[in-house]
Amino acid sequence: MGAHTSRTAPRDLRETAHAAQVRELTAAGALDDPLWRAAFAAVPRHVFVPYFWTGRGAGHERLWAEDPDPERRARWLRGVYTDAPLATRLRDGELLSSSSQPSLMARMLEALEVRDGDNVLEIGAGTGYNAALLCHRLGEDLVTTVDLDEEITESARRHLAAIGYHPAVITGDGARGCPSRAPFDRIMVTCTLPIVPPAWLGQCRPGARILAPLSTGLIALTVQGPDLAEGRFLHTPAYFVPLRGSTASPPRASEGLPYELVENERLQFMLVLTEGVLHPREALDLWRREGRPSRERFGVTVGATGQWSWLDDPQGPYVWPLGEARG
């Protein structure tokens, strides 16, 4: 096996699995942009996920690259190059960090609409994989990634260095951004928010774009100044680990709603977005009355005096205080 130990999947198997995933993502329409396609082809996911956890509760199982059992190593490699999120860090059974679903990552990166020379802040370092893709596209000097957990940032830094990237990897509260690396042209968030941290706006250039998971969707905000940003949700559903350092509201229980409606993803999005403002039955009536609106009809305004979500028009009849701003 040459330079490979008996406990490591041979390089050609990893390269084959990597190339197959890029082809699959391209065929699925997740990599329409040739520049991002080249980034995914250049950055191997297995470097950033040397192990991951499967199962739930007491049934958690760790699969890793150096397992002495060849079948378990093969399961690790198959898992790494499956289009699925992977749990990479647990603490007392709680998920702290994961490697996001590659097709969702690709769609988010394309939706970020980066341009050559853009300075990008990533909130949520994770494994470092997303930062590596940004480094390939923009250059490491234009990439900053922040995470609250020192173990996560140290691991991400190590993974990035293994393939020759050295962006700024900062240990700190992502809700505070990173003033020392500002101003930013793009902020990409890989953890779910209860509200948009106001500090980010002041660290952005006018016209900057913020792409962040909120409720169960992705909000794309255009920053108009240090006290104003506004935008609509994309059609893509998104489920991420909550941002630590702020308090995220749990999804509502939807008591009293028929099961088939509780399972409706569009309705669940609206229920979470209007939680604490509309009762489930009120939200259901509005949702039906307005033609079962999709995510793209909803938006968010971040202003100096608060934050609001809205349906169709920020000046229209359906406007609700957002998240912690409700209090």
Side-chain angles (χ1 to χ4, degrees):
M1 296 180 64
H4 298 285
T5 70
S6 61
R7 295 187 179 185
T8 304
R11 178 178 297 176
D12 58 345
L13 293 182
R14 299 183 184 197
E15 291 177 349
T16 298
H18 178 198
Q21 181 172 76
V22 174
R23 289 195 301 272
E24 290 166 4
L25 294 175
T26 302
L31 283 176
D32 291 337
D33 186 328
L35 294 175
W36 286 121
R37 195 181 312 140
F40 273 81
V43 179
R45 192 186 191 197
H46 66 261
V47 172
F48 296 87
V49 191
Y51 62 86
F52 63 89
W53 299 85
T54 66
R56 295 182 178 180
H60 279 124
E61 178 186 24
R62 185 176 183 263
L63 296 175
W64 62 305
E66 302 294 329
D67 197 296
D69 183 339
E71 174 53 33
R72 289 172 61 84
R73 292 200 306 274
R75 287 175 58 202
W76 163 79
L77 185 60
R78 286 196 299 271
V80 165
Y81 285 109
T82 298
D83 186 29
L86 299 174
T88 56
R89 194 169 296 272
L90 302 175
R91 184 175 296 159
D92 299 325
E94 178 188 0
L95 177 62
L96 297 183
S97 186
S98 64
S99 178
S100 302
Q101 182 180 13
S103 60
L104 177 57
M105 291 176 63
R107 291 188 169 95
M108 289 180 68
L109 287 165
E110 291 198 355
L112 193 61
E113 298 180 359
V114 298
R115 306 153 300 184
D116 290 348
D118 276 350
N119 189 27
V120 177
L121 172 64
E122 179 193 28
I123 306 297
T127 65
Y129 182 37
N130 195 66
L133 294 165
L134 287 164
C135 286
H136 184 276
R137 172 66 179 83
L138 296 168
E140 62 184 31
D141 292 343
L142 293 172
V143 177
T144 303
T145 184
V146 177
D147 203 286
L148 188 64
D149 192 312
E150 186 173 3
E151 290 183 3
I152 290 175
T153 53
E154 177 55 36
S155 178
R157 194 178 292 113
R158 187 168 59 250
H159 296 156
L160 285 155
I163 59 170
Y165 293 131
H166 300 88
V169 182
I170 308 296
T171 303
D173 184 353
R176 297 180 180 178
C178 187
S180 64
R181 298 276 295 177
F184 298 105
D185 301 286
R186 298 288 186 269
I187 296 181
M188 181 175 181
V189 186
T190 57
C191 44
T192 296
L193 304 176
I195 61 170
V196 177
W200 294 352
L201 275 60
Q203 296 174 33
C204 285
R205 291 190 175 97
R209 186 171 176 85
I210 298 175
L211 184 68
L214 195 152
S215 179
T216 62
L218 289 170
I219 188 68
L221 298 170
T222 299
V223 178
Q224 300 174 31
D227 295 319
L228 182 61
E230 192 168 81
R232 291 182 180 270
F233 284 88
L234 307 183
H235 73 278
T236 308
Y239 301 88
F240 285 86
V241 175
L243 173 68
R244 288 179 293 158
S246 63
T247 303
S249 302
R252 69 167 68 242
S254 307
E255 295 92 343
L257 297 184
Y259 177 78
E260 64 273 15
L261 290 177
V262 171
E263 292 298 296
N264 185 292
E265 194 176 67
R266 287 186 177 185
L267 177 58
Q268 278 298 316
F269 168 77
M270 182 172 174
L271 290 173
V272 176
L273 194 63
T274 61
E275 183 179 11
V277 181
L278 298 180
H279 293 296
R281 277 292 170 183
E282 291 178 300
L284 173 60
D285 290 344
L286 175 58
W287 184 72
R288 283 173 165 166
R289 191 165 62 247
E290 292 298 318
R292 301 174 180 243
S294 59
R295 284 179 175 82
E296 304 96 301
R297 288 179 58 188
F298 292 87
V300 166
T301 300
V302 180
T305 59
Q307 302 188 19
W308 303 269
S309 59
W310 38 265
L311 175 64
D312 291 331
D313 183 352
Q315 306 300 322
Y318 302 123
V319 180
W320 309 281
L322 181 65
E324 293 173 349
R326 296 165 187 155

